[in-house]
Amino acid sequence: MISEVKPVYRLIITMAVALLLLCSGPLANVSAGEAESANDITIKLEGKTVKLSLPAVTKNGRVYVPAARMAEKFGAASSWDNDKEEVTIHTAFDDTLVLGNGVPVVYFNEGRYVMDAAPFLENGSLYAPLRQLSEMLHASLKLSADGSVVELNEVQPAVTSDGYGLAEISTAAGISRAELLKRNGLDSKGTLQAGTKLKIVIPSFFDNAAKPFTEADLMLLAKITMVEAGYESYEGRLALANVILNRVKDPSFPDSIHDVIYSGKQFPPAHNGLLDRTKPNAGSLRAAKDALNGKNNVGNAVYFFNPEVSKGSFWSSLDVIATIGHHRFAR
């Protein structure tokens, strides 16, 4: 199922529309429009009111803060990748985390985990859920009875000594030995020297590891995204990648990215050599990676088509979930 090549003038129109969208701000801001200023909430760190250059916001009853600005209050360093719309934070406790716009998966040290709420762009900054951000910054969070005050306190690592090792620290911190080892990247067979510092704040997502994917999966998904929707906006490419992943999950289709793409005659480029010769650009790679990390803008759609090309009773009978660029995404 491949769309016909567009005339040059249509490609020019598409590029012009994309530029207008970029000028008007990220599309993610539309979904973030539900967020409301949390001026009635006071955030304190070590007993002192935190003053941020951008306000905290609430969304679906949850408090969000500008991730980089809050992290800096804890002595962390951050960097922003505008092309990928993601922030990388290096904490004062030698942890590294990567958060992306609308992406529920966080890269935390060597692992990938699914958070229960995704960050989003607001006021030109990436906002993250305060509770989970504080956990990654090795801090405790306490909410006042009326919900008007959030108290944050940096938690110092536990230090081993003679008679105060893994077992004792585990009991004192109220966490399991396995969690303590995992949080600190330690092997259960290793021996700890006295004076070893152990981080004891366990992020709530630690037991929710993200589904792994291979580099081959990423490249193949990026290639088909490039071939089928390379001239579309990021949102259009993200949608295309999600159709492939939705098919993998659907029992009516093969259960791997490779087989969804190469089985049958759904994607001619997979059989005429075009797909194998394709080198995905940065935008297609980002869309594929974000989709693999759970960012979805087309729900459970398993079909996409260009209504100017694909006509007939089958296509008209589908339930269209979204229209993005030249494509309709349906089930």
Side-chain angles (χ1 to χ4, degrees):
M1 180 173 56
I2 181 170
S3 302
E4 292 182 348
V5 177
K6 301 294 167 192
V8 174
Y9 75 90
R10 286 185 179 169
L11 178 58
I12 294 174
I13 292 174
T14 300
M15 293 174 65
V17 171
L19 287 173
L20 287 173
L21 288 173
L22 285 173
C23 292
S24 62
L27 289 175
N29 281 358
V30 175
S31 61
E34 302 171 4
E36 298 179 355
S37 176
N39 292 327
D40 56 336
I41 296 178
T42 299
I43 299 175
K44 292 186 176 182
L45 174 58
E46 308 297 343
K48 297 181 179 180
T49 300
V50 174
K51 295 182 179 180
L52 298 170
S53 56
L54 290 173
V57 300
T58 58
K59 184 179 180 183
N60 298 326
R62 189 187 300 267
V63 178
Y64 291 78
V65 293
R69 288 168 171 79
M70 178 57 75
E72 289 168 1
K73 300 295 182 181
F74 286 85
S78 63
S79 59
W80 171 252
D81 188 320
N82 195 57
D83 293 330
K84 297 180 180 179
E85 291 188 344
E86 64 182 24
V87 63
T88 299
I89 297 173
H90 301 283
T91 77
F93 294 96
D94 296 323
D95 290 316
T96 299
L97 54 133
V98 182
L99 299 164
N101 177 29
V103 180
V105 167
V106 58
Y107 285 74
F108 188 66
N109 294 329
E110 301 302 318
R112 294 169 54 253
Y113 303 92
V114 182
M115 300 189 296
D116 56 13
F120 58 84
L121 279 175
E122 181 83 359
N123 300 319
S125 185
L126 189 71
Y127 276 69
L130 178 56
R131 181 173 294 279
Q132 293 192 321
L133 179 62
S134 66
E135 294 169 346
M136 290 184 277
L137 294 171
H138 209 257
S140 64
L141 182 150
K142 182 180 179 182
L143 190 64
S144 64
D146 63 0
S148 64
V149 180
V150 178
E151 296 183 15
L152 301 173
N153 288 282
E154 189 174 77
V155 178
Q156 293 302 313
V159 182
T160 61
S161 62
D162 293 337
Y164 191 65
L166 283 173
E168 292 76 16
I169 293 174
S170 173
T171 300
I175 58 178
S176 70
R177 185 173 183 272
E179 288 177 318
L180 188 59
L181 290 169
K182 179 181 177 181
R183 177 66 180 87
N184 290 277
L186 298 174
D187 191 310
S188 60
K189 298 178 181 179
T191 302
L192 294 181
Q193 300 295 323
T196 300
K197 295 181 178 180
L198 297 177
K199 289 168 277 195
I200 57 175
V201 176
I202 309 297
S204 53
F205 53 67
F206 238 40
D207 60 352
N208 194 15
K211 182 180 179 180
F213 60 83
T214 66
E215 185 67 19
D217 287 335
L218 172 61
M219 289 304 297
L220 184 55
L221 186 59
K223 283 183 177 183
I224 195 67
T225 298
M226 180 76 177
V227 170
E228 294 285 358
Y231 55 86
E232 297 286 351
S233 67
Y234 163 76
E235 292 292 326
R237 282 176 280 182
L238 176 68
L240 188 287
N242 270 297
V243 165
I244 303 297
L245 297 182
N246 286 342
R247 288 188 176 195
V248 173
K249 301 172 188 175
D250 193 300
S252 300
F253 297 90
D255 60 2
S256 72
I257 293 173
H258 178 277
D259 290 351
V260 162
I261 295 172
Y262 282 94
S263 295
K265 299 180 180 179
Q266 300 164 14
F267 300 99
H271 306 287
N272 61 21
L274 176 59
L275 185 63
D276 294 333
R277 296 192 302 271
T278 297
K279 183 178 180 180
N281 59 19
S284 296
L285 281 167
R286 178 198 167 193
K289 185 178 179 181
D290 284 354
L292 286 165
N293 279 326
K295 186 175 182 179
N296 187 334
N297 59 347
V298 289
N300 61 354
V302 291
Y303 296 103
F304 74 99
F305 63 99
N306 184 332
E308 294 184 6
V309 177
S310 301
K311 302 178 184 294
S313 59
F314 173 78
W315 301 108
S316 61
S317 69
L318 295 176
D319 179 18
V320 175
I321 295 173
T323 298
I324 304 175
H326 297 88
H327 292 133
R328 289 179 183 173
F329 299 86
R331 185 167 183 84

PDB file of all heavy atoms in Angstrom, residues 32-54:
ATOM      1  N   ALA A  32      -1.259  19.920  24.830  1.00  0.00           N
ATOM      2  CA  ALA A  32      -0.881  20.481  26.124  1.00  0.00           C
ATOM      3  C   ALA A  32      -1.781  21.635  26.512  1.00  0.00           C
ATOM      4  O   ALA A  32      -1.670  22.188  27.597  1.00  0.00           O
ATOM      5  CB  ALA A  32       0.576  20.946  26.078  1.00  0.00           C
ATOM      6  N   GLY A  33      -2.700  21.999  25.617  1.00  0.00           N
ATOM      7  CA  GLY A  33      -3.585  23.112  25.906  1.00  0.00           C
ATOM      8  C   GLY A  33      -4.491  22.863  27.090  1.00  0.00           C
ATOM      9  O   GLY A  33      -5.071  23.794  27.638  1.00  0.00           O
ATOM     10  N   GLU A  34      -4.627  21.583  27.472  1.00  0.00           N
ATOM     11  CA  GLU A  34      -5.437  21.263  28.638  1.00  0.00           C
ATOM     12  C   GLU A  34      -4.756  21.711  29.920  1.00  0.00           C
ATOM     13  O   GLU A  34      -5.384  21.792  30.962  1.00  0.00           O
ATOM     14  CB  GLU A  34      -5.671  19.749  28.704  1.00  0.00           C
ATOM     15  CG  GLU A  34      -6.340  19.171  27.467  1.00  0.00           C
ATOM     16  CD  GLU A  34      -6.352  17.657  27.494  1.00  0.00           C
ATOM     17  OE1 GLU A  34      -5.903  17.081  28.519  1.00  0.00           O
ATOM     18  OE2 GLU A  34      -6.799  17.045  26.518  1.00  0.00           O
ATOM     19  N   ALA A  35      -3.456  21.963  29.845  1.00  0.00           N
ATOM     20  CA  ALA A  35      -2.707  22.328  31.043  1.00  0.00           C
ATOM     21  C   ALA A  35      -3.125  23.707  31.530  1.00  0.00           C
ATOM     22  O   ALA A  35      -3.383  24.615  30.743  1.00  0.00           O
ATOM     23  CB  ALA A  35      -1.208  22.316  30.742  1.00  0.00           C
ATOM     24  N   GLU A  36      -3.203  23.838  32.841  1.00  0.00           N
ATOM     25  CA  GLU A  36      -3.568  25.105  33.446  1.00  0.00           C
ATOM     26  C   GLU A  36      -2.481  25.544  34.413  1.00  0.00           C
ATOM     27  O   GLU A  36      -1.802  24.723  35.035  1.00  0.00           O
ATOM     28  CB  GLU A  36      -4.892  24.959  34.204  1.00  0.00           C
ATOM     29  CG  GLU A  36      -6.074  24.588  33.314  1.00  0.00           C
ATOM     30  CD  GLU A  36      -7.351  24.428  34.105  1.00  0.00           C
ATOM     31  OE1 GLU A  36      -7.279  24.512  35.347  1.00  0.00           O
ATOM     32  OE2 GLU A  36      -8.404  24.216  33.488  1.00  0.00           O
ATOM     33  N   SER A  37      -2.298  26.842  34.539  1.00  0.00           N
ATOM     34  CA  SER A  37      -1.292  27.370  35.453  1.00  0.00           C
ATOM     35  C   SER A  37      -1.578  26.905  36.869  1.00  0.00           C
ATOM     36  O   SER A  37      -2.726  26.859  37.319  1.00  0.00           O
ATOM     37  CB  SER A  37      -1.294  28.901  35.398  1.00  0.00           C
ATOM     38  OG  SER A  37      -0.389  29.431  36.349  1.00  0.00           O
ATOM     39  N   ALA A  38      -0.512  26.535  37.573  1.00  0.00           N
ATOM     40  CA  ALA A  38      -0.645  26.054  38.954  1.00  0.00           C
ATOM     41  C   ALA A  38      -0.135  27.106  39.930  1.00  0.00           C
ATOM     42  O   ALA A  38       0.620  26.816  40.856  1.00  0.00           O
ATOM     43  CB  ALA A  38       0.114  24.746  39.123  1.00  0.00           C
ATOM     44  N   ASN A  39      -0.562  28.360  39.713  1.00  0.00           N
ATOM     45  CA  ASN A  39      -0.096  29.452  40.572  1.00  0.00           C
ATOM     46  C   ASN A  39      -0.555  29.288  42.021  1.00  0.00           C
ATOM     47  O   ASN A  39       0.010  29.886  42.933  1.00  0.00           O
ATOM     48  CB  ASN A  39      -0.586  30.796  40.027  1.00  0.00           C
ATOM     49  CG  ASN A  39       0.077  31.142  38.702  1.00  0.00           C
ATOM     50  OD1 ASN A  39       1.234  30.797  38.482  1.00  0.00           O
ATOM     51  ND2 ASN A  39      -0.645  31.816  37.834  1.00  0.00           N
ATOM     52  N   ASP A  40      -1.604  28.490  42.215  1.00  0.00           N
ATOM     53  CA  ASP A  40      -2.100  28.299  43.575  1.00  0.00           C
ATOM     54  C   ASP A  40      -1.339  27.208  44.314  1.00  0.00           C
ATOM     55  O   ASP A  40      -1.637  26.906  45.467  1.00  0.00           O
ATOM     56  CB  ASP A  40      -3.589  27.956  43.548  1.00  0.00           C
ATOM     57  CG  ASP A  40      -3.891  26.736  42.692  1.00  0.00           C
ATOM     58  OD1 ASP A  40      -3.080  26.436  41.795  1.00  0.00           O
ATOM     59  OD2 ASP A  40      -4.916  26.085  42.922  1.00  0.00           O
ATOM     60  N   ILE A  41      -0.354  26.599  43.644  1.00  0.00           N
ATOM     61  CA  ILE A  41       0.459  25.563  44.272  1.00  0.00           C
ATOM     62  C   ILE A  41       1.849  26.122  44.563  1.00  0.00           C
ATOM     63  O   ILE A  41       2.503  26.679  43.679  1.00  0.00           O
ATOM     64  CB  ILE A  41       0.578  24.321  43.368  1.00  0.00           C
ATOM     65  CG1 ILE A  41      -0.791  23.682  43.186  1.00  0.00           C
ATOM     66  CG2 ILE A  41       1.554  23.311  43.969  1.00  0.00           C
ATOM     67  CD1 ILE A  41      -0.785  22.464  42.276  1.00  0.00           C
ATOM     68  N   THR A  42       2.293  25.969  45.796  1.00  0.00           N
ATOM     69  CA  THR A  42       3.629  26.416  46.194  1.00  0.00           C
ATOM     70  C   THR A  42       4.566  25.216  46.226  1.00  0.00           C
ATOM     71  O   THR A  42       4.251  24.189  46.842  1.00  0.00           O
ATOM     72  CB  THR A  42       3.595  27.063  47.596  1.00  0.00           C
ATOM     73  OG1 THR A  42       2.735  28.199  47.559  1.00  0.00           O
ATOM     74  CG2 THR A  42       4.995  27.495  48.019  1.00  0.00           C
ATOM     75  N   ILE A  43       5.696  25.332  45.552  1.00  0.00           N
ATOM     76  CA  ILE A  43       6.692  24.263  45.549  1.00  0.00           C
ATOM     77  C   ILE A  43       7.872  24.712  46.410  1.00  0.00           C
ATOM     78  O   ILE A  43       8.430  25.789  46.193  1.00  0.00           O
ATOM     79  CB  ILE A  43       7.176  23.949  44.119  1.00  0.00           C
ATOM     80  CG1 ILE A  43       5.993  23.491  43.259  1.00  0.00           C
ATOM     81  CG2 ILE A  43       8.254  22.874  44.143  1.00  0.00           C
ATOM     82  CD1 ILE A  43       6.352  23.264  41.803  1.00  0.00           C
ATOM     83  N   LYS A  44       8.214  23.880  47.381  1.00  0.00           N
ATOM     84  CA  LYS A  44       9.331  24.199  48.267  1.00  0.00           C
ATOM     85  C   LYS A  44      10.428  23.150  48.142  1.00  0.00           C
ATOM     86  O   LYS A  44      10.142  21.957  48.028  1.00  0.00           O
ATOM     87  CB  LYS A  44       8.852  24.276  49.715  1.00  0.00           C
ATOM     88  CG  LYS A  44       7.933  25.451  50.008  1.00  0.00           C
ATOM     89  CD  LYS A  44       7.611  25.548  51.497  1.00  0.00           C
ATOM     90  CE  LYS A  44       6.766  26.788  51.794  1.00  0.00           C
ATOM     91  NZ  LYS A  44       6.492  26.928  53.250  1.00  0.00           N
ATOM     92  N   LEU A  45      11.663  23.604  48.167  1.00  0.00           N
ATOM     93  CA  LEU A  45      12.818  22.722  48.150  1.00  0.00           C
ATOM     94  C   LEU A  45      13.648  23.010  49.387  1.00  0.00           C
ATOM     95  O   LEU A  45      14.089  24.145  49.585  1.00  0.00           O
ATOM     96  CB  LEU A  45      13.643  22.942  46.873  1.00  0.00           C
ATOM     97  CG  LEU A  45      14.972  22.188  46.784  1.00  0.00           C
ATOM     98  CD1 LEU A  45      14.754  20.682  46.906  1.00  0.00           C
ATOM     99  CD2 LEU A  45      15.697  22.527  45.478  1.00  0.00           C
ATOM    100  N   GLU A  46      13.821  22.011  50.209  1.00  0.00           N
ATOM    101  CA  GLU A  46      14.529  22.167  51.488  1.00  0.00           C
ATOM    102  C   GLU A  46      13.918  23.305  52.309  1.00  0.00           C
ATOM    103  O   GLU A  46      14.616  24.084  52.950  1.00  0.00           O
ATOM    104  CB  GLU A  46      16.019  22.433  51.239  1.00  0.00           C
ATOM    105  CG  GLU A  46      16.715  21.446  50.319  1.00  0.00           C
ATOM    106  CD  GLU A  46      16.740  20.021  50.854  1.00  0.00           C
ATOM    107  OE1 GLU A  46      16.506  19.834  52.066  1.00  0.00           O
ATOM    108  OE2 GLU A  46      16.977  19.093  50.056  1.00  0.00           O
ATOM    109  N   GLY A  47      12.594  23.423  52.250  1.00  0.00           N
ATOM    110  CA  GLY A  47      11.877  24.410  53.053  1.00  0.00           C
ATOM    111  C   GLY A  47      11.768  25.784  52.444  1.00  0.00           C
ATOM    112  O   GLY A  47      11.056  26.645  52.972  1.00  0.00           O
ATOM    113  N   LYS A  48      12.452  26.043  51.326  1.00  0.00           N
ATOM    114  CA  LYS A  48      12.419  27.351  50.692  1.00  0.00           C
ATOM    115  C   LYS A  48      11.591  27.300  49.402  1.00  0.00           C
ATOM    116  O   LYS A  48      11.710  26.357  48.618  1.00  0.00           O
ATOM    117  CB  LYS A  48      13.837  27.828  50.377  1.00  0.00           C
ATOM    118  CG  LYS A  48      14.699  28.027  51.621  1.00  0.00           C
ATOM    119  CD  LYS A  48      16.090  28.525  51.231  1.00  0.00           C
ATOM    120  CE  LYS A  48      16.964  28.753  52.472  1.00  0.00           C
ATOM    121  NZ  LYS A  48      18.320  29.236  52.122  1.00  0.00           N
ATOM    122  N   THR A  49      10.780  28.321  49.203  1.00  0.00           N
ATOM    123  CA  THR A  49       9.934  28.376  48.018  1.00  0.00           C
ATOM    124  C   THR A  49      10.776  28.432  46.746  1.00  0.00           C
ATOM    125  O   THR A  49      11.712  29.224  46.637  1.00  0.00           O
ATOM    126  CB  THR A  49       9.002  29.598  48.070  1.00  0.00           C
ATOM    127  OG1 THR A  49       8.173  29.505  49.241  1.00  0.00           O
ATOM    128  CG2 THR A  49       8.116  29.662  46.834  1.00  0.00           C
ATOM    129  N   VAL A  50      10.439  27.568  45.818  1.00  0.00           N
ATOM    130  CA  VAL A  50      11.162  27.508  44.543  1.00  0.00           C
ATOM    131  C   VAL A  50      10.564  28.525  43.578  1.00  0.00           C
ATOM    132  O   VAL A  50       9.355  28.557  43.363  1.00  0.00           O
ATOM    133  CB  VAL A  50      11.071  26.097  43.930  1.00  0.00           C
ATOM    134  CG1 VAL A  50      11.701  26.082  42.542  1.00  0.00           C
ATOM    135  CG2 VAL A  50      11.747  25.078  44.835  1.00  0.00           C
ATOM    136  N   LYS A  51      11.413  29.354  43.014  1.00  0.00           N
ATOM    137  CA  LYS A  51      10.984  30.327  42.024  1.00  0.00           C
ATOM    138  C   LYS A  51      11.503  29.895  40.658  1.00  0.00           C
ATOM    139  O   LYS A  51      12.702  29.852  40.422  1.00  0.00           O
ATOM    140  CB  LYS A  51      11.492  31.725  42.385  1.00  0.00           C
ATOM    141  CG  LYS A  51      10.896  32.270  43.678  1.00  0.00           C
ATOM    142  CD  LYS A  51      11.399  33.676  43.963  1.00  0.00           C
ATOM    143  CE  LYS A  51      10.783  34.230  45.252  1.00  0.00           C
ATOM    144  NZ  LYS A  51      11.263  35.604  45.549  1.00  0.00           N
ATOM    145  N   LEU A  52      10.567  29.558  39.777  1.00  0.00           N
ATOM    146  CA  LEU A  52      10.921  29.134  38.433  1.00  0.00           C
ATOM    147  C   LEU A  52      10.577  30.237  37.438  1.00  0.00           C
ATOM    148  O   LEU A  52       9.599  30.955  37.615  1.00  0.00           O
ATOM    149  CB  LEU A  52      10.159  27.855  38.062  1.00  0.00           C
ATOM    150  CG  LEU A  52      10.442  26.615  38.922  1.00  0.00           C
ATOM    151  CD1 LEU A  52       9.440  25.518  38.592  1.00  0.00           C
ATOM    152  CD2 LEU A  52      11.860  26.125  38.699  1.00  0.00           C
ATOM    153  N   SER A  53      11.394  30.376  36.391  1.00  0.00           N
ATOM    154  CA  SER A  53      11.128  31.405  35.390  1.00  0.00           C
ATOM    155  C   SER A  53       9.864  31.086  34.597  1.00  0.00           C
ATOM    156  O   SER A  53       9.259  31.972  33.989  1.00  0.00           O
ATOM    157  CB  SER A  53      12.322  31.535  34.440  1.00  0.00           C
ATOM    158  OG  SER A  53      12.634  30.288  33.837  1.00  0.00           O
ATOM    159  N   LEU A  54       9.457  29.817  34.593  1.00  0.00           N
ATOM    160  CA  LEU A  54       8.206  29.403  33.978  1.00  0.00           C
ATOM    161  C   LEU A  54       7.364  28.728  35.055  1.00  0.00           C
ATOM    162  O   LEU A  54       7.893  27.994  35.888  1.00  0.00           O
ATOM    163  CB  LEU A  54       8.455  28.424  32.823  1.00  0.00           C
ATOM    164  CG  LEU A  54       9.109  29.012  31.573  1.00  0.00           C
ATOM    165  CD1 LEU A  54       9.447  27.901  30.589  1.00  0.00           C
ATOM    166  CD2 LEU A  54       8.191  30.035  30.918  1.00  0.00           C
TER     167      LEU A  54
END
